[in-house]
Amino acid sequence: MTRSALMLIVFLAAAATAFAARLDDSGVAAPAFRPHAAMAQ
Amino acid sequence: MTGPSRNRRVAISAVAFALVAGLAGVQEANALTFLIGNGAPQIYLRIGQTGGQTPIVSIDLSGSTGILGNGTPILGTAPAAAGAFRGQTSNFPACPANHVRIVARARSTAAIPRVATLQVNSSANLVHAASGNAIPFTQIGWISDDAVDLPAGTFTGAAGQVLATLATSREIGACHRFQFLNTQVYPGSVGGTGYYTGNVTYNLNMP
């Protein structure tokens, strides 16, 4: 003899609350030293 | 001369937020077990609304960003009908606001006593549909007005978490208020808030 009941949980998370580790790869492959520019001087 | 170097920055965004007024109160510890008359085997289970309605508990973090992840529970809300007085469970009064009424009843004959078990299945995560991000139900718990029969607890994520056993012929009930345990931070969706939804299923079984 079994009886079941369902419960729904709705969870609203704000994006601004997230501790999201965001990698910024804008500097990838950018040389730290530019030999040609140095030689031009 | 040096070769190219990789310049990688890790930005961690944190937001300062205001503490939500503490709504969690210490509740009275009432044991609400009722002996009921023996009779032909019968079980009854109420979770929230009656009449086949599914109670919906909502937990909104958007006003609690300042305390996210610090372990301060964030209480959920529930519609009034989820905790309302109903004639089918007339031994129990209406619950306080935002609580979910739970009642389990098991009856058998005096000659053949039986034991009923109330279980909950929380094995399926809360899921954010667009991103696929998930929150396990182990992050959801509840406070209770009954510290004996249906005390405060936390979902274990198991399919068969036992909440109570009751020997015939008895009826137990409690008001539960669900809460996010807030021990970890979960992302919302990109550029906005994120809705996670999930179901738990209560099961009363009297073999």
Side-chain angles (χ1 to χ4, degrees), chain A residues 1-28 30 32 35, chain B residues 5 8-9 11 15 55-61 65 68 126 178 180 187 189 192 194 196 198-206:
Chain A
M1 185 175 286
T2 298
R3 188 175 179 90
S4 296
L6 192 68
M7 184 167 71
L8 173 66
I9 293 185
V10 178
F11 187 96
L12 172 60
T17 66
F19 244 103
R22 189 161 47 84
L23 296 179
D24 183 348
D25 281 334
S26 61
V28 170
Chain B
S5 69
R8 172 170 291 182
R9 289 177 290 127
V15 179
I56 300 175
V57 174
S58 302
I59 303 172
D60 185 350
L61 306 191
T65 49
L68 286 188
L126 293 144
F178 295 87
F180 175 53
S189 61
Y196 291 74
N199 294 312
V200 290
T201 304
Y202 290 77
N203 184 60
L204 181 64
N205 184 39
M206 187 173 74

Side-chain angles (χ1 to χ4, degrees), chain B residues 28-178:
Chain B
E28 293 181 22
N30 300 319
L32 291 174
T33 301
F34 292 89
L35 295 175
I36 60 176
N38 293 317
Q42 181 189 76
I43 56 175
Y44 174 93
L45 175 63
R46 172 184 172 187
I47 306 294
Q49 289 98 317
T50 53
Q53 298 288 313
T54 299
I56 300 175
V57 174
S58 302
I59 303 172
D60 185 350
L61 306 191
S62 61
S64 305
T65 49
I67 59 169
L68 286 188
N70 75 356
T72 301
I74 298 171
L75 290 164
T77 60
F85 173 82
R86 290 285 185 263
Q88 301 99 311
T89 55
S90 58
N91 280 325
F92 301 97
C95 289
N98 297 310
H99 286 64
V100 174
R101 167 58 76 191
I102 296 175
V103 175
R105 181 190 306 152
R107 187 183 76 178
S108 186
T109 60
I112 309 175
R114 297 162 78 164
V115 176
T117 303
L118 176 63
Q119 295 179 308
V120 64
N121 181 349
S122 60
S123 59
N125 293 334
L126 293 144
V127 174
H128 178 256
S131 67
N133 290 334
I135 301 174
F137 264 101
T138 53
Q139 283 285 326
I140 305 291
W142 61 88
I143 56 176
S144 176
D145 67 349
D146 187 334
V148 178
D149 297 314
L150 287 165
T154 301
F155 291 118
T156 63
Q161 178 182 358
V162 175
L163 298 179
T165 57
L166 57 161
T168 52
S169 294
R170 285 178 170 78
E171 181 180 54
I172 61 173
C175 297
H176 285 180
R177 185 164 188 189
F178 295 87

